[in-house]
Amino acid sequence: QVQLVESGGGSVQAGGSLRLSCAISRYTPSTSCMGWFRQVPGKERESVAQIDPVGATRYADSVQGRWTISRDNARSPLTLYLQMNSLKPGDTGMYYCAVRPDSWCGGVRPFDYWGQGTQVTVDS
């Protein structure tokens, strides 16, 4: 079955950087929308970044200009990244990667596969 494993989370001071990785195994669709999501206790999970099959990206307003999502289709296993710069205490949360077979990232189709999450804590 499809497996997504996140890594790279941790604790960092405000202004610092982290790079999250998501290794995606046993996933065969040739086109897919991939994304990173953040969950904070007491709040709904929110999308922070998504990337479509041709590399077009979109970001939540709160992270636009600070973070970069990318994917390495040539790597085995397929890997999704999130470069997080200029981190703020408000970025603290559990981060999940997700993927769905799709030709774009628009619309409201749910993501089919999710990782277990990696915690990011930003101290002021």
Side-chain angles (χ1 to χ4, degrees):
Q1 71 187 50
V2 178
Q3 184 179 37
L4 284 72
V5 179
E6 301 97 338
S7 61
S11 295
V12 65
Q13 292 292 316
S17 298
L18 285 173
R19 189 193 195 203
L20 305 185
S21 298
C22 174
I24 305 168
S25 303
R26 295 185 287 276
Y27 182 77
T28 59
S30 58
T31 60
S32 57
C33 173
M34 299 180 174
W36 288 96
F37 295 77
R38 175 169 62 209
Q39 178 84 60
V40 177
K43 294 187 178 181
E44 291 187 2
R45 185 169 54 194
E46 61 172 337
S47 171
V48 295
Q50 295 183 18
I51 184 167
D52 77 2
V54 297
T57 57
R58 58 183 190 178
Y59 300 91
D61 290 343
S62 61
V63 309
Q64 180 76 48
R66 298 188 295 126
W67 297 4
T68 303
I69 186 172
S70 61
R71 56 196 286 173
D72 189 344
N73 294 329
R75 189 181 179 90
S76 181
L78 172 64
T79 305
L80 180 68
Y81 300 100
L82 184 66
Q83 179 66 43
M84 310 163 73
N85 297 330
S86 303
L87 282 160
K88 304 175 180 180
D91 297 323
T92 294
M94 184 70 78
Y95 285 77
Y96 300 88
C97 61
V99 62
R100 70 171 191 250
D102 211 328
S103 59
W104 72 320
C105 284
V108 294
R109 267 196 63 200
F111 283 75
D112 297 298
Y113 305 102
W114 293 82
Q116 293 299 307
T118 185
Q119 177 67 35
V120 171
T121 302
V122 184
D123 299 315
S124 58

